[in-house]
Amino acid sequence: MQRVHRTVLALARMMAVIGGSVLTLLILIICISILGRTANSLLHSDFMMGAAPGMAQSLIDLGIGAIRGDFELVEAGMAFCIFAFLPLCQVTGGHASVDIFTNFLPRGANRFLIFLGEALFAVALVVIAWQLDAGMDRKMRSGETTLLLQFPVWWSYAASLVGAVAAAAAGAYMALVRGLELLTGRVIVANAVGADH
């Protein structure tokens, strides 16, 4: 079981690294776009048009401004990032939990509640992945594209679906692990980074 857990954890970490890389790229896009938008506003200002109209117009003509389609890129990228981080959070038990009431329950009751939470979350993740797949299919058939960049909307769905399927698999795996823990009474996988409050 430990070998399986190490494999699932490695795949979850790989998804998180990919998600982190995409998130870093999105942050750069946002920063560059904000700087470009600010520079464009400055070039259009009365001061620049009065002090150096030729230079200001030349820079404007070069395309100094916001990145075209920045909102579309961020929207598509963030959807992927959210799903890319879910598998690691699921496998490591990193979801926040409030245990005010359950701290007073016996260990067996807590194990049952942990299993129930994992099972319900696994079902939710499977349904989300299933609906993303159905949505991607509809977008592929419709041929819908984004407004500015004109890339097919289904590409965003496909990227998110990769993370959603990984999250659903991680959720199902953890539900199985918690079910075995409930049946055997022993800890198979400890919560590595649980965020208890």
Side-chain angles (χ1 to χ4, degrees):
M1 190 67 166
Q2 290 302 320
R3 176 179 283 166
V4 173
H5 184 71
R6 281 194 299 271
T7 302
V8 171
L9 186 59
L11 292 172
R13 284 184 175 146
M14 181 185 71
M15 285 299 299
V17 167
I18 294 169
S21 300
V22 170
L23 185 59
T24 302
L25 180 64
L26 294 175
I27 291 168
L28 288 172
I29 288 171
I30 291 169
C31 291
I32 292 169
S33 196
I34 289 170
L35 289 173
R37 190 174 290 118
T38 303
N40 186 279
S41 296
L42 180 65
L43 292 171
H44 278 95
S45 70
D46 291 338
F47 172 75
M48 283 302 289
M49 285 300 182
M55 182 185 77
Q57 191 59 50
S58 295
L59 291 172
I60 290 169
D61 292 342
L62 281 175
I64 301 279
I67 295 174
R68 181 175 167 81
D70 57 349
F71 289 105
E72 294 172 358
L73 293 170
V74 171
E75 181 181 29
M78 284 306 299
F80 168 75
C81 289
I82 290 167
F83 287 111
F85 294 133
L86 272 175
L88 184 62
C89 193
Q90 190 66 23
V91 171
T92 59
H95 297 291
S97 64
V98 180
D99 300 333
I100 295 170
F101 173 71
T102 59
N103 282 337
F104 300 107
L105 295 176
R107 180 178 291 161
N110 275 318
R111 282 197 173 144
F112 174 74
L113 289 175
I114 290 169
F115 164 71
L116 183 62
E118 294 281 1
L120 291 173
F121 200 55
V123 168
L125 290 170
V126 168
V127 169
I128 289 169
W130 177 33
Q131 290 301 312
L132 263 174
D133 182 56
M136 183 183 72
D137 185 52
R138 283 191 302 274
K139 296 299 180 185
M140 286 176 76
R141 282 187 277 117
S142 75
E144 183 180 345
T145 60
T146 61
L147 181 66
L148 296 174
L149 297 178
Q150 295 293 304
F151 68 81
V153 173
W154 71 266
W155 290 359
S156 302
Y157 279 75
S160 297
L161 184 60
V162 171
V165 168
Y173 165 74
M174 288 308 295
L176 176 67
V177 166
R178 298 306 180 208
L180 289 173
E181 287 179 346
L182 179 65
L183 293 174
T184 63
R186 61 187 182 94
V187 175
I188 297 171
V189 175
N191 281 347
V193 295
D196 297 324
H197 300 286

